[in-house]
Amino acid sequence: MKPFAAQKSEHTPAIILDKENGRFEISGRSFMDEPMEFYAPVLAWLKDYALQPNPTTEFVFTLDYYNTETGKYIFDIMSILERIKGSKVTWRYAEKDQDMEESGLDYAELVNLPFEFKTF
Amino acid sequence: MTSRVLYSYSGIVEHVGIAELIEGISVVLNKNNITQHYHRKIIRIAIEALQNQARHGKWPTCTISDDPSSFILYEHDDSYTITTRNLINSRDIPNLAEKLQSINAASESEISDRIRIQLRDNSCIHTKGARLGLLDMKRKSGTKFTFTYKESTPFQSFFQLTITLPRSDQH
């Protein structure tokens, strides 16, 4: 399966979706106005991946700033992961960044997935 | 009490320009040695506030040069405040005021519950009327919004929203 990658910009995150190397990551900033355009291919890739996933899938989020509209697409990503056996979420955030920790807790409450919180 | 303007912007807020505005705010915060804790909070609140303006605050008959919208970040002795001003349709005022009052009256846990419900509910956020951004700003600031509006015609009103972020020596 061909990897999906996006370079980060001032308001869009870096994305790596690489089945062969087992890397699934979103990092940086995400506050575009029309997140659907940006995240639609991400969701499509994941749905495809879900048909023949790896035995384990660790999806790592390391977001700095993201708007609430992006937040919905993060939930959509996690909803797909819920259906993939062996999935887990790693939510990374700066130490003492309570807002990002709280956002992670929102998702941990909403989805039925193993969640690991890691600070840096 | 002393107050000063850290950052101000006047004019139409366009989605394509928000990244630039955020970068400008970040530069100012760095120059003024604002701690990382408040830097992050201010930027996150500013993103939502500016996107609200871009989405709801554009008046169709205003040109770039006469749009009265503004965004101001203030530093006070005990807080930071972000104040946004823009025109909105007068008929939207009652609904907006009711939403803001409801958000103001909600407890911390009620706000978190509402955020989680809206994250989970597709239809809310995709209609852009979810006010998820307002809930998020309330949670991040921890304080009530102050807002005023003044009708300038039966069709348009001037709306002002202030978000206050208290400061403490802890951070």
Side-chain angles (χ1 to χ4, degrees), chain B residues 119-137:
Chain B
L119 280 174
R120 193 181 55 208
D121 184 345
N122 266 322
S123 60
C124 275
I125 192 132
H126 289 167
T127 61
K128 293 191 174 179
R131 306 300 185 190
L132 188 53
L134 290 172
L135 290 168
D136 190 63
M137 289 194 289

Side-chain angles (χ1 to χ4, degrees), chain B residues 27-135:
Chain B
V27 165
V28 162
L29 296 177
N30 284 333
K31 270 189 183 159
N32 286 275
N33 299 311
I34 308 299
T35 64
Q36 263 306 300
H37 173 82
Y38 291 113
H39 187 135
R40 281 194 290 255
K41 277 198 177 278
I42 288 167
I43 293 295
R44 285 167 182 160
I45 292 170
I47 287 170
E48 294 299 332
L50 286 166
Q51 294 201 310
N52 266 347
Q53 280 191 293
R55 196 173 301 130
H56 302 292
K58 220 177 305 181
W59 197 256
T61 56
C62 278
T63 62
I64 288 171
S65 58
D66 62 14
D67 189 286
S69 301
S70 67
F71 171 100
I72 308 178
L73 169 63
Y74 295 92
E75 181 184 57
H76 312 281
D77 289 337
D78 60 353
S79 64
Y80 297 99
T81 56
I82 287 174
T83 295
T84 61
R85 300 184 178 98
N86 50 260
L87 291 173
I88 64 171
N89 197 312
S90 295
R91 68 166 183 250
D92 292 336
I93 294 279
N95 189 31
L96 177 57
E98 191 187 330
K99 279 193 164 74
L100 289 167
Q101 280 156 5
S102 166
I103 291 171
N104 274 349
S107 67
E108 245 182 68
S109 62
E110 282 168 345
I111 293 290
S112 286
D113 286 344
R114 289 195 208 181
I115 286 173
R116 289 170 189 181
I117 287 167
Q118 294 213 12
L119 280 174
R120 193 181 55 208
D121 184 345
N122 266 322
S123 60
C124 275
I125 192 132
H126 289 167
T127 61
K128 293 191 174 179
R131 306 300 185 190
L132 188 53
L134 290 172
L135 290 168

